[in-house]
Amino acid sequence: MSFDYIDFWDQNYRLGGDSGSGSYGLLAEFKSQIINDLIQKHAISTVIEFGCGDGNQLQTMNYPQYLGLDVALSSINLCKEIYKDDSSKSFMLYKPGYLINRGFFRADLVVCLDVLYHITDEEDFCTTLNDLFQCSSRWVVLYTKITTGLEPQEVPTILDRDIISYLSKHSDFKMTEIIPQRYPQLSSSHFILMERVSPSL
């Protein structure tokens, strides 16, 4: 029986689990510093996040207007409750293959943090990548593992891929910077910053 990553994360949040160590402590501070600096430098006003999780990382971000998406209904319910009094934040359930976006969803910045390597279904992975690039009018920031895709797969919740090869197929964007992990003893994820080079349709 194949691993169902959506069911795994839905159960995780429903049973009181969180988004993992990457959304707390030093790693959360690292992520927020990089992204908040980008927001200030480029006067970003709208943000869409693929994978809002338990909402803890969101507390450290200076997002002017924000839409959080997640495949887990329990995540959306959790964030809806946490941010019920914050009119700058919206949330929506995301199902790969069911976001038919022809320009309606657009944000200055699209972020996806510690999520891509957890999408163990190949079709869903490619669809999610396409959707997040289509939702961005200016910037895409990924925080993920940079691997060859040949590494042994040790746990069912993670699937390593040659992420750079996948990103090269999205020619509307150029990779402007890779920011290495500040705390390699805590995480193997790095920042990949991508900027749109051709107008969005």
Side-chain angles (χ1 to χ4, degrees):
M1 184 176 179
S2 62
F3 176 72
D4 186 333
Y5 75 98
I6 294 177
D7 183 63
F8 172 84
W9 287 104
D10 190 43
Q11 286 196 51
N12 174 69
Y13 296 124
R14 189 155 26 89
L15 297 175
D18 58 34
S19 292
S21 60
S23 297
Y24 292 80
L26 290 174
L27 292 173
E29 292 175 14
F30 172 49
K31 284 190 271 188
S32 62
Q33 180 188 338
I34 298 298
I35 293 177
N36 287 338
D37 285 350
L38 184 77
I39 289 171
Q40 184 175 21
K41 181 178 180 180
H42 297 284
I44 287 167
S45 60
T46 53
V47 179
I48 295 175
E49 179 172 24
F50 280 73
C52 53
D54 65 7
N56 188 73
Q57 179 72 70
L58 181 55
Q59 298 183 52
T60 70
M61 299 296 189
N62 299 329
Y63 295 145
Q65 290 292 326
Y66 169 89
L67 171 63
L69 308 177
D70 206 285
V71 296
L73 178 59
S74 54
S75 161
I76 301 303
N77 287 331
L78 189 62
C79 290
K80 180 178 67 174
E81 180 62 25
I82 293 172
Y83 296 100
K84 61 184 178 182
D85 298 322
D86 188 341
S87 62
S88 71
K89 294 177 177 62
S90 301
F91 301 93
M92 187 172 71
L93 184 66
Y94 170 72
K95 185 170 177 60
Y98 290 87
L99 175 58
I100 313 304
N101 182 20
R102 298 192 173 97
F104 188 86
F105 285 100
R106 280 287 188 274
D108 299 331
L109 169 64
V110 171
V111 298
C112 187
L113 312 175
D114 273 329
V115 168
L116 290 177
Y117 55 83
H118 286 301
I119 306 175
T120 54
D121 181 90
E122 182 68 11
E123 184 176 354
D124 283 5
F125 176 81
C126 293
T127 298
T128 302
L129 267 187
N130 287 335
D131 286 346
L132 68 87
F133 279 108
Q134 286 181 1
C135 284
S136 172
S137 61
R138 294 172 59 192
W139 290 92
V140 168
V141 171
L142 308 175
Y143 179 80
T144 192
K145 298 168 71 177
I146 301 177
T147 56
T148 64
L150 301 176
E151 293 78 6
Q153 305 302 300
E154 298 178 353
V155 293
T157 58
I158 291 176
L159 180 59
D160 289 322
R161 297 177 175 89
D162 182 0
I163 185 64
I164 301 300
S165 175
Y166 282 89
L167 297 179
S168 68
K169 300 172 185 177
H170 296 273
S171 57
D172 289 349
F173 287 78
K174 66 176 180 180
M175 191 179 303
T176 62
E177 189 175 5
I178 292 178
I179 302 174
Q181 176 57 246
R182 183 180 296 165
Y183 305 103
Q185 73 278 16
L186 299 179
S187 172
S188 55
S189 289
H190 309 276
F191 275 103
I192 303 174
L193 276 57
M194 303 191 70
E195 183 179 9
R196 183 175 283 280
V197 293
S198 61
S200 56
L201 299 177

